[in-house]
Amino acid sequence: MAVLEVLAGLVLLAALLYYYATATFSHWSSRGVPHLPPDPLFGNIKDIVLFRDLHVYGYQKLYHRFDGLPYAGLYQMRTPSLMLRDPETIKQFLVKDFGHFHDRGIFCDVERDPMSATLVNLSGRHWRNLRNKLTPSFSAVKLKSMTPLLNECADALVALVGAGQEGREHQVEMREVMAKFTTDVIGTCAFGLHFNTLKDPDSQFREMGRRVFLPTYSRTAIHLLRVFFPGLLGVLRLRTVSREITDFFISLVRDVIGFRERNGEVRNDFMQLLMQLRQQEQLDKSDKDSKEDAVVLDDRLLTAQVFIFFVAGFETSSSTMSFCVYELAINEEVQELARQEVDAILSELDDGQPITYEHVAKMTYIEKVLLETMRKYPPVPGLVRVCTKPYTLPGTKVHMKVGDQVFIPTFAIQRDPNIFPEPDRFDPERFSEDGRKSWHPFAYLPFGEGPRICIGLRFAMVEMKMGLARLLQHYKLLPAPGLPVPMRFDPKAFVLTAEGGINVRVVPRSAAAGSAS
């Protein structure tokens, strides 16, 4: 009898687990949306979850299963997601009907996991309120004022690449170099501090950046939970950012603010803007805004915004610049055209005169090179939005309720041969005036689009153009032995990361000219 009871209990438990694993799987069939048969618990992303497929390639395969359709239904584990494929449909969701899809639905808990409460993750009125407050810090005026700081970091980048080589050809791992460069830029422009990560290999600031993005399967698993099962993070008491990293940034921000307040120091950086916003909030306590609308910049929330400035700028800019160096190294004609533009623009400067914001703005070919890099290697390979008000896609019977998810496979769209012919070919002229006419603007989404487009887009472009221009001014870049063509990605990293680094041969232009003569 006892054995039968145990068996009955096991059968009941198995039935409950099966029900849990499949309960949502009638979602798309009941709405008449094309979809693939899902696997219990895993949905349509089993190979991605089990690391059989790199995430971008897994979604690319799913994307092409629905060629010719504007959208399709996916099951990302148990979560139904409407995958958007058509650029005009994407525009409908990100811009025209943004009021229904303004949230990303990402886990955010300012009390237990304070670094999660960033502008990227906040939702609703909290997001809009903070976005409006932070937008002025990325204006053209602010960028112009930061150009001298970027020049200093670019000088250090050039020196690091050639350090100890006395003008000889040598090999450099560019992924690490660019990580140090962007870390230095962020430390200077966000904190007003010179961390010297380009010179100091043991910099604690650089180490914290490395730990944030250290590619491991466990971090990728937590990221999947964060997107598809955000409630479980709270139940399991998991943190998206470790306590050590959180404490480091909170302590750093408090020290910087304390020093400036005690000494009356004012700097032209992101931290100063946040301090001014907090001071203004204290003066406006009598404001009639409701508590629901208000965003109070206490130490934790303020630190979270500095942290996302660091995270977004560090990973997206460093990866884009390293992938760009890779493409320049294996496409010498493109590299030479970029160098000719740099030489022509810098010839306008007197000896020793730093590059100005206006000179950076003239680097239109360098910009096309960077844009094409982000087409092939989008920093964010997929966008997620969550329905915040009941919605029906115009002209269809697709009804969405609050909490339903929308997924845009950026990587797959930007490598779709029907949109970008020969998608694996590196061609900056796709972004010329004529080239842009051949594809829909919403087929290109490395920074997102609509009201939630990346707030730091212009800062990132100026930073990257400055760094690349200075590299091309001084060096010729060639592939090192063993550099993989095509690129291989690290399967443990959730963002696109080169597996094994990006090793290039660096030839000082003085040496190249000497050998040519």
Side-chain angles (χ1 to χ4, degrees), residues 271-433:
M271 181 72 75
Q272 195 67 42
L273 175 79
L274 291 173
M275 291 173 63
Q276 292 168 354
L277 289 175
R278 186 160 72 170
Q279 291 167 1
Q280 188 61 43
E281 281 183 349
Q282 293 170 351
L283 294 174
D284 294 342
K285 282 184 178 178
S286 61
D287 197 338
K288 294 181 180 179
D289 283 350
S290 69
K291 290 183 179 179
E292 183 181 10
D293 292 338
V295 174
V296 179
L297 281 171
D298 58 16
D299 283 352
R300 289 175 300 180
L301 190 58
L302 188 149
T303 302
Q305 308 326 307
V306 177
F307 178 72
I308 196 59
F309 185 95
F310 168 75
V311 169
F314 173 87
E315 181 58 27
T316 59
S317 297
S318 65
S319 64
T320 297
M321 290 181 73
S322 57
F323 284 131
C324 186
V325 167
Y326 169 83
E327 290 290 348
L328 291 174
I330 63 176
N331 293 280
E332 290 190 59
E333 291 183 6
V334 173
Q335 182 182 162
E336 188 53 36
L337 287 173
R339 182 177 291 106
Q340 289 174 10
E341 178 182 75
V342 170
D343 288 347
I345 291 172
L346 297 189
S347 68
E348 302 172 6
L349 300 172
D350 296 329
D351 288 342
Q353 184 182 354
I355 300 175
T356 66
Y357 179 82
E358 288 73 20
H359 286 99
V360 173
K362 291 181 182 180
M363 297 177 184
T364 55
Y365 190 74
I366 294 286
E367 181 166 317
K368 287 190 286 187
V369 168
L370 283 165
L371 294 174
E372 173 69 347
T373 299
M374 289 184 285
R375 182 195 65 80
K376 284 193 70 174
Y377 312 97
V380 181
L383 304 177
V384 174
R385 295 291 185 270
V386 171
C387 185
T388 55
K389 290 191 295 185
Y391 176 77
T392 300
L393 181 61
T396 76
K397 296 181 180 179
V398 179
H399 305 294
M400 303 190 73
K401 64 181 186 299
V402 174
D404 283 354
Q405 189 182 88
V406 174
F407 174 66
I408 303 170
T410 310
F411 180 92
I413 294 171
Q414 292 181 183
R415 292 209 182 193
D416 186 340
N418 296 313
I419 300 173
F420 297 101
E422 297 181 81
D424 294 329
R425 181 169 61 90
F426 190 78
D427 181 12
E429 291 306 318
R430 299 182 202 270
F431 294 88
S432 65
E433 186 174 348

Side-chain angles (χ1 to χ4, degrees), residues 237-294:
R237 302 194 66 77
L238 296 174
R239 301 170 65 95
T240 57
V241 180
S242 72
R243 184 176 297 279
E244 181 184 14
I245 293 172
T246 298
D247 291 344
F248 171 80
F249 276 93
I250 289 177
S251 177
L252 178 62
V253 168
R254 284 176 177 168
D255 289 346
V256 171
I257 292 176
F259 178 84
R260 294 188 188 186
E261 290 178 342
R262 288 192 305 271
N263 295 278
E265 183 179 276
V266 176
R267 289 179 176 266
N268 199 6
D269 57 22
F270 186 56
M271 181 72 75
Q272 195 67 42
L273 175 79
L274 291 173
M275 291 173 63
Q276 292 168 354
L277 289 175
R278 186 160 72 170
Q279 291 167 1
Q280 188 61 43
E281 281 183 349
Q282 293 170 351
L283 294 174
D284 294 342
K285 282 184 178 178
S286 61
D287 197 338
K288 294 181 180 179
D289 283 350
S290 69
K291 290 183 179 179
E292 183 181 10
D293 292 338

